[in-house]
Every structure is written in structure tokens, then in C-alpha cells.
Amino acid sequence: MYSLLVTGMLLILSMQVQAKDNKDAKESKDVHKQTSHILIIGLDENVKSNYYYNGMIAEETGIEADSINLEFNRIISENIATSNKDKDCKFVSAGPEQINDQFLQSIKVNGESEDCYSDITSVSSAEWQKTLDKVNADYMLILNQHYLKWQEVPLRTLFHIVSYTVFDKDKKEVCRGNQYFTSMHLEKPEILRKISLKSTSKIASNVTKSLKAN
């Protein structure tokens, strides 16, 4: 009787240990599951318009003329990173130390406004990999263009059209798209950050969905 009791207790203990091991293994697997890191870069001279020139943009926004592209890219990329809700993906805004001028100049942009995408065929695979490795990134989200489209009719409206293209480590295009938001005129950086948040959140959501679908 005693022997059966001991055997039963050992069996129960063994089952508990096994269950714990399975749970620990699952948790370890979940923790170990690779979080996708997406490096966001904004291209040089990517703020375009059918109406505004740099002097007008600088005057109305208060941004120095030679910092317009940098500031617009910074606002959009930071909004994408902070608005992301997917725990399996992390967006990282590129700093000057991650991206050199030669790399940026190797990326070409085809099209304009809503129909706009990046062409990276001139970027060497080695340089591409090196740039991603600097921040341990798996993908690169390129802000192709921030197009300021002014229209007079039916209402005076400024459309901000932000287009993007995403590539993986092998330079394969994963997705492309654009989102837009509107304003009555050009806004100061702090207002631009607020009114672009909804659109940049959609960019983050669309990108993470595309990554999981591939």
C-alpha cells in the first residue's frame, strides 16, 4: 500500500514537473521569438510640393530652410515609432550616425505624390546589410516623399501625402503605400506632429500587418 502511495506521489510530481517544463519551454520560446526591428529612414530632399517652395515652407512653419526635410522626416518617423501597437515589431528612427549621405543618394525615388516608391537597385547588398546591422534591424522603411499638395477648389486645403516603401534584409520589397492628412495651411512642427499622428499610426499598422503576412 505504501509502495503504491509513493509511486502515485512520484507520478503526480513527475506530471507537475513535466507540465512546468512545457510551460517554461513555451514561455522561453515566446520570449525568444524574434522581434522584427524596422529601421525608418527619410530621404534627402523628399519634401515636394505642387505649390510651396522652401522659402514659403520655412516662413510659415518656422523651420530653417536647410532643415525642412530633416524636420519633416523626424516628425513622421518618430510618430510611426511611438504609435506602433504591435509588440512583435519595433520601429527605430535612424540617426545621422546610422545613415551616410552616399547611402541616401544611392536610393532613387520613382513617381510623385500618391504614386511614389523607392528604387534601391543602386545600393550594394553589402552597404544595405551594413546599414541594417548598425541597429540590428531586419527591415527598412523608407520615407520616399512628403508631398504638399495644395488645392484651391472645392475648398482651400493642403494635403500632406506621405509615401513609403519597406524592404527586407535581402533588398526584397515587402510593401509600399501612402497615407495622407490635411490642414488649412502649413503648420508649426508641434502642430504637424499632432495632426499627422493618425496617419502615421496607420502606416505602422499597415507595415506590421504586411510583415506578418509575408
Side-chain angles (χ1 to χ4, degrees):
M1 182 70 178
Y2 178 77
S3 176
L4 288 174
L5 181 62
V6 171
T7 301
M9 291 178 65
L10 289 174
L11 180 60
I12 292 172
L13 181 61
S14 176
M15 291 173 64
Q16 290 176 337
V17 170
Q18 182 64 42
K20 184 178 183 302
D21 287 345
N22 290 339
K23 181 182 177 182
D24 291 345
K26 182 179 182 301
E27 290 178 350
S28 177
K29 182 178 179 181
D30 290 340
V31 170
H32 188 264
K33 184 168 62 176
Q34 182 69 38
T35 298
S36 296
H37 287 71
I38 305 104
L39 177 64
I40 310 172
I41 69 167
L43 299 181
D44 288 336
E45 306 300 325
N46 68 340
V47 178
K48 306 289 184 180
S49 180
N50 65 335
Y51 177 77
Y52 294 97
Y53 55 88
N54 278 6
M56 293 174 65
I57 298 174
E59 183 177 354
E60 294 195 34
T61 63
I63 302 171
E64 295 289 336
D66 58 358
S67 299
I68 289 171
N69 296 279
L70 181 64
E71 186 67 13
F72 272 63
N73 286 330
R74 184 175 67 83
I75 289 171
I76 297 301
S77 63
E78 288 180 357
N79 266 359
I80 292 173
T82 57
S83 65
N84 173 47
K85 299 296 190 295
D86 194 315
K87 295 181 180 179
D88 294 331
C89 297
K90 181 178 180 181
F91 291 88
V92 181
S93 299
E97 65 278 5
Q98 277 98 33
I99 310 295
N100 60 56
D101 291 339
Q102 184 178 356
F103 181 86
L104 290 176
Q105 291 166 8
S106 297
I107 301 173
K108 308 301 179 187
V109 175
N110 297 323
E112 193 166 76
S113 190
E114 295 94 336
D115 184 23
C116 183
Y117 62 95
S118 285
D119 179 352
I120 61 171
T121 54
S122 296
V123 181
S124 72
S125 296
E127 190 63 28
W128 181 263
Q129 188 67 56
K130 178 181 176 183
T131 302
L132 287 172
D133 286 346
K134 285 181 181 179
V135 293
N136 193 32
D138 307 289
Y139 302 91
M140 189 179 299
L141 188 163
I142 301 174
L143 299 175
N144 310 318
Q145 198 174 90
H146 189 132
Y147 194 79
L148 303 171
K149 186 177 182 179
W150 175 255
Q151 71 171 32
E152 294 281 349
V153 292
L155 295 172
R156 293 165 62 89
T157 308
L158 174 59
F159 290 85
H160 297 251
I161 303 169
V162 180
S163 68
Y164 61 91
T165 312
V166 180
F167 298 91
D168 65 13
K169 281 187 174 183
D170 298 321
K171 298 175 61 180
K172 178 184 176 182
E173 182 178 316
V174 176
C175 65
R176 68 172 73 170
N178 64 76
Q179 290 290 331
Y180 76 90
F181 57 96
T182 62
S183 60
M184 297 303 294
H185 48 74
L186 285 169
E187 300 283 2
K188 304 291 184 182
E190 58 272 19
I191 302 300
L192 179 62
R193 184 180 296 276
K194 291 180 181 179
I195 63 177
S196 65
L197 187 57
K198 186 175 181 179
S199 291
T200 50
S201 177
K202 287 181 179 179
I203 291 175
S205 177
N206 290 343
V207 170
T208 55
K209 287 179 181 177
S210 294
L211 297 186
K212 290 187 173 183
N214 281 272

